[in-house]
């Protein structure tokens, strides 16, 4: 499980991955919904995470254990695959 600082940084990373192309695709929205349930956050939390400074996010991500970093890589990879799915 992620602590609060890690969770905020992870959600920021996911949100920034989604925002890369300024287009929302069905696959990424479906995966985002899955992550929201798994990590227990909502749209307001995601908006708050987007406001987190990049410096604080990087500090939190760097401090994570190897296992947590590997979990984040898997989440980002799955989101990247979802981005390549059909657009809404």
């Amino acid at each position: 499980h992620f602590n609060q600082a890690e969770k905020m940084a992870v959600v920021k990373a996911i949100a920034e991955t989604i925002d890369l192309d300024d287009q929302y695709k069905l696959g990424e929205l479906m995966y985002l919904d899955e992550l929201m349930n798994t990590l227990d956050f909502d749209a307001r939390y995601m908006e708050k995470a987007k406001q987190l400074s990049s410096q604080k996010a990087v500090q939190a991500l760097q401090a994570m254990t190897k296992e947590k970093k590997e979990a984040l890589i898997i989440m980002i990879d799955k989101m990247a695959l979802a981005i390549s799915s059909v657009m809404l």
Side-chain angles (χ1 to χ4, degrees):
H1 296 301
F2 296 106
N3 67 33
Q4 277 302 324
E6 294 168 343
K7 181 177 172 180
M8 185 72 67
V10 166
V11 172
K12 178 179 179 70
I14 296 294
E16 288 182 354
T17 302
I18 292 170
D19 290 343
L20 284 176
D21 63 359
D22 293 324
Q23 296 177 358
Y24 298 101
K25 295 160 187 82
L26 181 57
E28 67 186 358
L29 293 176
M30 290 173 61
Y31 185 61
L32 176 61
D33 187 58
E34 182 182 324
L35 285 177
M36 290 172 92
N37 288 324
T38 302
L39 299 177
D40 189 29
F41 70 93
D42 59 15
R44 281 195 316 250
Y45 189 89
M46 190 165 77
E47 288 305 315
K48 186 177 176 183
K50 288 180 182 181
Q51 303 305 315
L52 181 66
S53 76
S54 295
Q55 181 179 4
K56 286 185 180 184
V58 168
Q59 287 172 345
L61 295 173
Q62 287 177 334
M64 290 190 320
T65 64
K66 181 181 178 194
E67 292 78 16
K68 289 178 181 180
K69 289 176 184 175
E70 289 171 352
L72 174 60
I73 290 168
I74 291 168
M75 287 183 262
I76 297 289
D77 282 348
K78 286 184 177 182
M79 185 58 72
L81 287 173
I83 287 171
S84 67
S85 68
V86 179
M87 286 189 289
L88 285 176

